[in-house]
Amino acid sequence: MLPAPPLLLITDRTQARGDLADVVAAACSGGCRWISLREKDLPAIEQLAVFARLRTATAPFGARLTLHGTPELAQAAGADGVHLPDGGDPVQARAILGPAALVGLSVHRPDAAAMDPAVTDYITASPIFLTTSKPGYGPALGLGGLRAFVAAARVPVIALGGITARVAAGCRDAGAAGLAVMGTVMRAADPQAEIAGLLAAFGPVTRPA
């Protein structure tokens, strides 16, 4: 089951206004309970140090803290899970991190969306809309493309790429189980308010009985 609310904040210290841990703490104050460290340009030892700071910042909120990268690094960090790149191996990640970990995967084509729910908890479909955070990942999929991912997937689909409060309800109506954001919050003058607005726009998530 995905964290509640199903809003994934992906870090990018190069876009953050101020200290990354402060931005993440403000996002948690706004209701975020799921953060993933994505600072792949840093050496592993520096990623572990940043992760430790974010763990301190998020612990008072009970937030889940995962890592974009290898399952081995996620394990070394004591992360709550791992997010793998397109083409990553969820079976290996599950074997390393165990049944309680969150294991996610980036997917950019609907024909690759049918992941095994026994080893993969969710996929991100991207880019749904044009985004300045991660250019070069192909044309925007749009809501029609998101619907194609949802139709093909066997696990929850998280909409990523150009996600703002203005498009949150459209993503929900297209079948997205949640949202993933990076620059929208990293660059925000008020990350707390930005997260609160995203959550309000996406609306409550109905869990299966």
Side-chain angles (χ1 to χ4, degrees), residues 15-209:
Q15 297 190 68
R17 287 196 176 195
D19 182 76
L20 182 60
D22 291 341
V23 172
V24 167
C28 287
S29 293
C32 184
R33 294 296 180 267
W34 183 12
I35 300 95
S36 189
L37 178 74
R38 187 187 187 279
E39 307 295 340
K40 295 183 179 182
D41 62 306
L42 292 177
I45 192 168
E46 293 185 32
Q47 291 187 54
L48 293 175
V50 176
F51 189 94
R53 292 188 64 236
L54 295 191
R55 180 65 89 185
T56 298
T58 59
F61 301 94
R64 303 287 292 276
L65 184 57
T66 60
L67 183 142
H68 272 57
T70 67
E72 291 85 0
L73 188 58
Q75 184 181 52
D80 297 316
V82 69
H83 186 89
L84 304 170
D86 198 4
D89 187 351
V91 174
Q92 178 198 37
R94 180 63 68 197
I96 291 171
L97 297 175
L102 278 169
V103 175
L105 182 71
S106 292
V107 180
H108 302 296
R109 306 182 322 278
D111 61 1
M115 295 293 112
D116 182 355
V119 293
T120 308
D121 293 302
Y122 69 94
I123 60 172
T124 56
S126 66
I128 303 303
F129 302 102
L130 293 177
T131 172
T132 59
S133 294
K134 293 176 66 178
Y137 279 80
L141 297 164
L143 294 179
L146 177 57
R147 290 188 188 95
F149 270 88
V150 172
R154 299 171 58 202
V155 298
V157 176
I158 306 295
L160 168 64
I163 303 300
T164 65
R166 183 176 59 84
V167 301
C171 291
R172 179 200 62 216
D173 294 344
L179 306 174
V181 293
M182 179 190 280
T184 300
V185 174
M186 291 289 114
R187 297 189 299 267
D190 187 345
Q192 178 178 347
E194 193 68 35
I195 287 288
L198 283 161
L199 291 174
F202 190 68
V205 177
T206 302
R207 300 290 191 188

